[in-house]
Amino acid sequence: MSIAEIEIQKFERESGDVNKVFYQAMEEVIYSIAPLLESDPKYSKYGILERLVVPDRVIKFKVVWLDDNQNIKVNTGYRVQFNNALGPYKGGLRFHPSVNEGILKFLGFEQILKNSLSGLPIGGAKGGSDFDPKGKSDFEIMKFCSAFMTELHKYIGPRIDIPAGDIGVGGREIGYLFGEYKKITSSYDGVLTGKPYIFGGSLMRPEATGYGAVYFTEKMLELEGKESLVGKICTVSGAGNVAIHAIEKLQQIGAIPVTCSDSQGMIYDSRGIDLELLKVLKFERRTSLSEYVKTHLEAQYTPCSEYQTNIHPVWDIPCYAAFPCATQNELCEADAQNLITNGCVSVTEGANMPSTPEAVALLQSHKICFAPAKAANAGGVAVSEFEMSQNASMQKWSFEKVDSKLKETMQQICTRVALTAKDYGVEGNYVDGANIAGFKRVADAMIAEGI
Ligand code: NDP
Ligand code: 2IT
């Protein structure tokens, strides 16, 4: 039995339902790195894999807050501090009713390898709550964030653990969290990233993940000898921070993004998405995408209730490049088949693990250029690290400086991934390249730091 099989059997025994997505993320990594483990015994000798898949600590706490009608509400908060071999724990906070320990372990585990791959001095973590921001007033969001930080502040710090945003957590939430941290500690620390610009945020942090995913794709297409994105139809899922900025960058470089989606349905606008309207609907009015067709009668809105089982209609629109940017496991095998049938050339994961393992396998077997999340969406956390640097040195970098550093970082990650894949005999396999390169850097640091 191979190392990969032994390890996977062990984790299979331990993984309950709540850990399903965590197990999914681990399994992919274990298969990818098996050749490395087999060729270099030091990783087994130092028990790196066994140590890497167990978080340093999982902090779980109660969050009690008062809604606008003075009803007492109780949620659960978490911070999974996974690994700090390369630098302080770093990773986002997710506020969504689906949040549980398993989801945060999957996201935290991915974050270790993503942050390692970025080449920056940051470890991996993730946190959040099952709190649902939908339909809550501004004051309710503020009260929840304050209550959440009342507990979280004990475990974080600018050299310890630096949370940021993720699903349901953007500049507004980070602002309230920062305000509460400052009140409790009397310390004006860069303890969170993704802060609004006026009090320490970095220019371009909101745009970074979506822009970075497009920069990565351009480089990958170049390395793989494919045509650029200019003039090409692209499909994007999601209508949040990552999706909207991917659409923005695609439009800036002359591509034509024609779709977006939210948790209620999807839009197909064959003339290209109206970005200004999308921003108003999602960032200002925080409303459903169904509103889009009120002013754009030529666009199509399909509500989720009309989706066929296991098919996401975004992936049935013919495109040159696809960008899943909403959430995990939103692109399954049947969707991958639709993309292939319609002539898609590349798939870039803007969201974390949006493609199922079966979808990834099918896409790769058809030689579709496939950019995995931990490489393609690392632009967000990279600019978070730039924000930490700016805060530590009390400097403010220009938009142009951050943008050029982001582009350079994404190109470097892409090249490192492609070269690593080639070195390990799996040329063109960006999943294996990313997993091996990410694992190696953090594993070597763990060995050097001792147990
Ligand atoms: P947002 O909350 O800004 O947007 C999320 C979008 O996805 C919304 O349009 C939301 O719909 C939709 N969505 C969320 N959950 C579901 C679901 N279960 N089914 C269908 N649609 C869903 O989050 P982000 O854009 O920040 O995050 C999107 C993805 O990108 C996540 O996987 C996140 O982990 C990842 N990511 C984010 C980074 C960042 O910097 N923010 C960095 C790297 C990765 P609705 O509008 O209806 O809520
Ligand atoms: O998944 C991710 O990389 C993020 N949500 C961003 C993390 C960060 O610390 O900026």
Side-chain angles (χ1 to χ4, degrees), residues 237-238 261 312 315 324-332 335 351 353-355:
S237 66
S261 65
H312 197 311
W315 314 125
C325 295
T327 192
Q328 63 270 9
N329 291 329
E330 53 160 319
L331 194 162
C332 67
D335 299 317
M353 205 171 72
S355 320

Side-chain angles (χ1 to χ4, degrees), residues 253-363:
I253 64 166
I256 309 156
V258 294
T259 61
C260 57
S261 65
D262 64 11
S263 53
Q264 313 297 313
M266 72 155 286
I267 289 289
Y268 171 46
D269 190 340
S270 61
R271 298 177 321 166
I273 292 293
D274 179 342
L275 182 63
E276 287 321 305
L277 175 60
L278 183 59
K279 284 186 175 177
V280 169
L281 295 180
K282 284 299 175 183
F283 291 158
E284 286 175 29
R285 291 170 46 198
R286 299 177 190 270
T287 185
S288 156
L289 277 179
S290 57
E291 301 280 312
Y292 187 100
V293 286
K294 288 192 174 158
T295 46
H296 286 322
L297 300 176
E298 71 293 344
Q300 286 170 26
Y301 175 70
T302 310
C304 288
S305 55
E306 289 176 19
Y307 291 5
Q308 288 174 47
T309 316
N310 282 335
I311 295 215
H312 197 311
V314 163
W315 314 125
D316 201 15
I317 304 290
C319 68
Y320 182 76
F323 293 82
C325 295
T327 192
Q328 63 270 9
N329 291 329
E330 53 160 319
L331 194 162
C332 67
E333 195 174 10
D335 299 317
Q337 186 55 60
N338 284 335
L339 287 167
I340 293 162
T341 306
N342 290 326
C344 173
V345 165
S346 84
V347 175
T348 301
E349 295 192 317
N352 282 311
M353 205 171 72
S355 320
T356 63
E358 297 78 19
V360 178
L362 189 62
L363 291 167

Side-chain angles (χ1 to χ4, degrees), residues 129-198:
S129 173
D130 58 0
F131 170 73
D132 186 357
K134 281 226 174 68
K136 303 291 188 298
S137 72
D138 230 39
F139 273 114
E140 287 174 327
I141 300 283
M142 190 192 296
K143 281 187 277 184
F144 176 79
C145 289
S146 298
F148 185 83
M149 187 52 87
T150 305
E151 189 65 23
L152 184 71
H153 86 277
K154 300 171 191 166
Y155 311 104
I156 61 176
R159 299 276 166 176
I160 301 169
D161 182 355
I162 306 93
D166 193 81
I167 290 179
V169 178
R172 173 181 63 167
E173 291 74 20
I174 295 290
Y176 294 150
L177 290 163
F178 179 82
E180 186 65 23
Y181 180 88
K182 186 163 61 72
K183 197 162 81 187
I184 297 169
T185 62
S186 300
S187 180
Y188 206 102
D189 288 328
V191 70
L192 293 145
T193 59
K195 299 182 287 299
Y197 179 68
I198 40 167

Side-chain angles (χ1 to χ4, degrees), residues 20-62:
K20 254 190 162 150
V21 276
F22 175 42
Y23 176 67
Q24 180 185 333
M26 266 190 326
E27 188 177 44
E28 180 200 277
V29 172
I30 294 171
Y31 273 119
S32 286
I33 64 169
L36 179 69
L37 301 187
E38 266 154 26
S39 68
D40 194 336
K42 76 173 178 234
Y43 299 113
S44 298
K45 180 177 164 199
Y46 285 94
I48 296 299
L49 190 55
E50 285 84 347
R51 289 159 60 196
L52 197 67
V53 298
V54 180
D56 287 351
R57 62 196 65 80
V58 177
I59 299 149
K60 183 173 176 181
F61 50 92
K62 184 171 68 176

